[in-house]
């Protein structure tokens, strides 16, 4: 796709190991809007327990970048490069970024899951994630909506009620979410 255009677009930024927060803070200082989805985990030591915030996708941060900011982003401490193909940065598609941003700002328990390519997508028709698309995954504890970012081959999941989703093809075919087949297909968690 080439270098960022003058109109800002979202890009995935590859960071050095454990430099994601340094990159996020550096981007803010430079006037660039970052997105660093995180998860909170409790670390246990002999003498204490502490809640630690970790990046949802280790080694990556996202930023809304225009052509004027491109070089500045690359010179930010902790940045390795901007992800792309054929030697040029490639923007993250807007629908994927919107889904990721909504997961990152939700109260739901989100977590990293292995990336898997699938064409069995679902659309969320109600609830806090209404309008998002992803994959429905069945786990021993219930169901999860999996949102994938193919550009970086990463995925995140959040708990969801399966009654809140419909197969994606039904949403585009009918526009109403009414089911043609009446059945949902979903991935099973590895186990």
């Amino acid at each position: 796709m080439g270098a960022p255009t003058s109109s800002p677009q979202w890009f995935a930024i590859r960071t050095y190991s454990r430099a994601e927060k340094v990159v996020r803070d550096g981007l803010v200082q430079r006037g660039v809007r970052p997105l660093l989805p995180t998860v909170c985990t409790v670390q246990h030591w002999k003498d204490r327990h502490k809640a630690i915030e970790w990046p949802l996708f280790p080694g990556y941060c996202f930023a809304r970048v225009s052509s004027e900011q491109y070089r500045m982003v690359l010179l930010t401490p902790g940045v390795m490069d901007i992800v792309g193909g054929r030697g040029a940065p490639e923007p993250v598609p807007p629908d994927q970024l919107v889904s990721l941003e909504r997961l990152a700002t939700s109260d739901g328990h989100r977590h990293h899951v292995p990336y898997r390519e699938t064409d069995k997508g679902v659309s969320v028709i109600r609830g806090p994630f209404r309008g998002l698309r992803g994959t429905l995954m069945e786990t021993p504890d219930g169901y999860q909506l999996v949102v994938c970012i193919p550009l970086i081959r990463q995925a995140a999941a959040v708990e969801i009620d399966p009654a809140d989703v419909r197969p994606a093809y039904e949403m585009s075919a009918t526009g109403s979410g009414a089911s043609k087949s009446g059945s949902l297909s979903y991935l099973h968690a590895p186990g």
Side-chain angles (χ1 to χ4, degrees):
M1 279 226 173
T5 62
S6 59
S7 173
Q9 295 178 295
W10 285 99
F11 289 86
I13 298 171
R14 193 177 351 260
T15 71
Y16 288 103
S17 179
R18 296 193 179 201
E20 300 89 353
K21 291 179 185 177
V22 169
V23 169
R24 177 197 57 200
D25 296 345
L27 292 172
V28 168
Q29 289 175 350
R30 288 163 174 74
V32 175
R33 181 176 169 207
L35 174 64
L36 180 62
T38 58
V39 293
C40 193
T41 60
V42 177
Q43 296 291 319
H44 302 278
W45 289 278
K46 265 183 166 177
D47 59 338
R48 61 193 154 99
H49 304 294
K50 184 177 181 181
I52 307 276
E53 189 179 53
W54 291 99
L56 183 59
F57 303 134
Y60 295 96
C61 183
F62 299 88
R64 190 164 168 82
V65 180
S66 67
S67 58
E68 295 83 24
Q69 299 167 317
Y70 180 68
R71 182 169 163 74
M72 180 175 47
V73 168
L74 288 173
L75 294 174
T76 302
V79 170
M80 287 178 67
D81 60 13
I82 298 176
V83 179
R86 299 183 197 145
E90 187 174 328
V92 177
D95 60 323
Q96 293 173 13
L97 208 291
V98 167
S99 296
L100 182 59
E101 196 167 24
R102 295 238 336 252
L103 282 183
T105 58
S106 76
D107 292 333
H109 173 71
R110 61 192 168 274
H111 59 280
H112 184 269
V113 294
Y115 175 81
R116 291 195 244 170
E117 291 187 27
T118 179
D119 58 355
K120 298 178 189 251
V122 296
S123 294
V124 182
I125 59 169
R126 66 179 154 264
F129 301 112
R130 181 184 176 143
L132 297 189
R133 289 182 178 235
T135 304
L136 188 64
M137 182 170 68
E138 183 179 20
T139 68
D141 298 325
Y143 292 87
Q144 298 179 346
L145 176 69
V146 178
V147 173
C148 295
I149 310 293
L151 182 63
I152 61 171
R153 301 189 60 77
Q154 299 284 324
V158 66
E159 294 174 7
I160 194 164
D161 184 338
D164 291 346
V165 302
R166 293 288 178 264
Y169 71 87
E170 292 176 4
M171 294 297 291
S172 59
T174 65
S176 67
S179 176
K180 285 183 176 180
S181 66
S183 65
L184 271 176
S185 61
Y186 45 81
L187 297 173
H188 292 278

